[in-house]
């Protein structure tokens, strides 16, 4: 499970081509203008590009989208002790189901699906490990073995009981702590697009660190175009993706890692071992929603390059595609991708 807590997810960055995020706008052939906005929400820089008829309409739509993102942070943050998520962790326990908001239930329900699909590689109950490794990164010391062992006792998606008809969540072990850092930003990007659509904005892009969601293409275009940064950050991006009404998420350790006693540990922690990943890789997932792409990219990172593509089910192979880049023992980049990924690529 990734420790991409809000404010920590700066991993393999997806760069939106042409995004300067200035206050200028560009006229399109059908009199729609391009407007760009940026605001810190969930402790990262959320960026919105949209095409609208007037600056007033664009500003109103973007403001509403940012407000929605803030609302979701208030629900799902594991940094804020007053968030709905943290109140759930404090109040629930064996025999104590708690009614939660539809947003929180939706995210937890999807998280459980991905956890089952990945045999626990993705697991939002990883919160106790998240806390330990945040401290480890500050102190540059591996968490003590007894602390890791105690934390692992509280990990397990099977200890989260959901009742859809009641919309309740029950944590089946005392002291459990949930971390939605590997799924919440994807969901927030989806919801921001939905708000923009309610305001009549049908062509937009929402970017939050390694998560990007897009609606219909810009006027006179067939797609939005994003670039995936190289695994080692030594070169300019040479991989460009063409997307429309889709989302993409990249998970990796290019930015978030710690070196302890000469060993590099990713911010992504394996829920089963409790240890930060040490293999160098990045996983890029294209999916129909940001929530789906976000969670799958995390799960694939945890299982490793050799097993990652096996997580795509037959049903998902239609809507999801993935690219895995990894470094071998010689430092060479190895590339694996799903059969349908190629059609989204425009080479530089």
């Amino acid at each position: 499970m990734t420790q991409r807590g809000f404010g920590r997810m700066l991993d393999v960055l997806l760069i939106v081509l042409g995004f300067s995020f200035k206050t200028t706008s560009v006229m399109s052939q059908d009199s729609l203008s391009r407007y760009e906005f940026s605001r810190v929400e969930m402790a990262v820089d959320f960026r919105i590009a949209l095409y609208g008829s007037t600056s007033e309409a664009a500003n109103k739509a973007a403001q509403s989208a940012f407000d929605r993102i803030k609302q979701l942070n208030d629900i799902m943050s594991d940094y804020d002790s007053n968030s709905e998520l943290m109140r759930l962790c404090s109040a629930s326990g064996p025999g104590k189901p708690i009614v939660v908001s539809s947003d929180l239930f939706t995210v937890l329900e999807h998280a459980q699906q991905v956890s089952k699909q990945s045999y626990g590689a993705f697991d939002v109950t990883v919160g106790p490990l998240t806390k330990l490794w945040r401290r480890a990164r500050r102190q540059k010391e591996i968490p003590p073995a007894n602390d890791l062992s105690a934390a692992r006792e509280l990990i397990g998606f099977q200890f989260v009981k959901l009742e859809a008809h009641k919309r309740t969540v029950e944590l089946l072990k005392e002291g459990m702590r949930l971390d939605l850092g590997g799924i919440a930003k994807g969901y927030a990007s989806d919801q921001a697009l939905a708000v923009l659509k309610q305001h009549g904005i049908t062509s937009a892009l929402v970017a939050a660190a390694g998560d990007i969601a897009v609606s219909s293409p810009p006027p006179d275009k067939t797609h939005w175009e994003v670039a995936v940064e190289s695994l080692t950050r030594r070169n300019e991006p040479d991989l460009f993706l063409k997307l429309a009404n889709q989302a993409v998420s990249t998970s990796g350790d290019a930015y978030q890692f710690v070196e302890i006693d000469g060993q590099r540990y990713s911010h992504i922690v394996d829920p089963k071992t409790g240890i930060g990943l040490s293999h160098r890789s990045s996983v890029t997932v294209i999916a129909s929603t940001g929530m789906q792409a976000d969670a799958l990219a995390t799960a694939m990172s945890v299982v490793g390059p050799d097993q990652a593509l096996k997580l795509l089910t037959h049903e998902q192979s239609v809507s999801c595609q993935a690219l895995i880049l990894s470094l071998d023992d010689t430092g060479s980049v190895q590339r694996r991708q799903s059969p349908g990924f190629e059609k989204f690529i425009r080479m530089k």
Side-chain angles (χ1 to χ4, degrees), residues 7 131 153-154 181 183 194 215-216 223 231 242 300 310 317 330:
K131 187 176 181 180
E153 287 296 316
L154 299 174
I183 190 171
S215 53
S216 297
H223 55 264
L231 175 61
K242 303 175 293 184
M300 288 183 172
K310 295 179 181 179
S317 64
T330 68

Side-chain angles (χ1 to χ4, degrees), residues 121-139:
F122 180 86
D123 194 331
V124 298
T125 69
V126 77
L129 289 173
T130 301
K131 187 176 181 180
L132 288 178
W133 279 92
R134 285 174 183 164
R135 184 174 62 191
R137 291 182 62 205
R138 292 194 302 269
Q139 299 177 346

Side-chain angles (χ1 to χ4, degrees), residues 126-288:
V126 77
L129 289 173
T130 301
K131 187 176 181 180
L132 288 178
W133 279 92
R134 285 174 183 164
R135 184 174 62 191
R137 291 182 62 205
R138 292 194 302 269
Q139 299 177 346
K140 296 189 181 301
E141 295 179 352
I142 295 178
N146 59 331
D147 290 348
L148 285 173
S149 179
R152 287 172 60 194
E153 287 296 316
L154 299 174
I155 308 303
F157 68 92
Q158 66 271 26
F159 302 123
V160 178
K161 182 179 179 181
L162 305 180
E163 293 286 354
H165 65 290
K166 297 179 181 178
R167 210 172 70 206
T168 60
V169 180
E170 181 181 353
L171 305 182
L172 301 181
K173 284 191 174 185
E174 294 288 353
M176 293 180 69
R177 180 185 175 99
L178 307 184
D179 171 15
L180 303 181
I183 190 171
K185 285 188 192 65
Y187 181 72
S189 297
D190 294 334
Q191 291 299 301
L193 282 185
V195 169
L196 294 175
K197 186 175 181 180
Q198 292 171 0
H199 283 262
I201 305 297
T202 58
S203 180
L205 179 150
V206 179
D211 295 297
I212 294 177
V214 302
S215 53
S216 297
D220 305 321
K221 302 290 184 181
T222 60
H223 55 264
W224 291 89
E225 198 167 271
V226 302
V228 180
E229 192 169 62
S230 62
L231 175 61
T232 61
R233 294 192 295 153
R234 295 173 183 167
N235 304 307
E236 291 297 318
D238 59 1
L239 177 63
F240 299 84
L241 302 179
K242 303 175 293 184
L243 304 174
N245 296 301
Q246 291 165 302
V248 61
S249 180
T250 294
S251 181
D253 68 345
Y255 289 87
Q256 289 292 304
F257 64 91
V258 62
E259 290 188 1
I260 302 175
D261 296 330
Q263 177 65 58
R264 178 183 175 119
Y265 296 96
S266 170
H267 68 298
I268 303 173
V269 176
D270 187 334
K272 296 178 181 178
T273 67
I275 303 298
L277 304 182
S278 57
H279 57 263
R280 294 294 313 279
S281 68
S282 72
V283 177
T284 297
V285 174
I286 299 171
S288 56

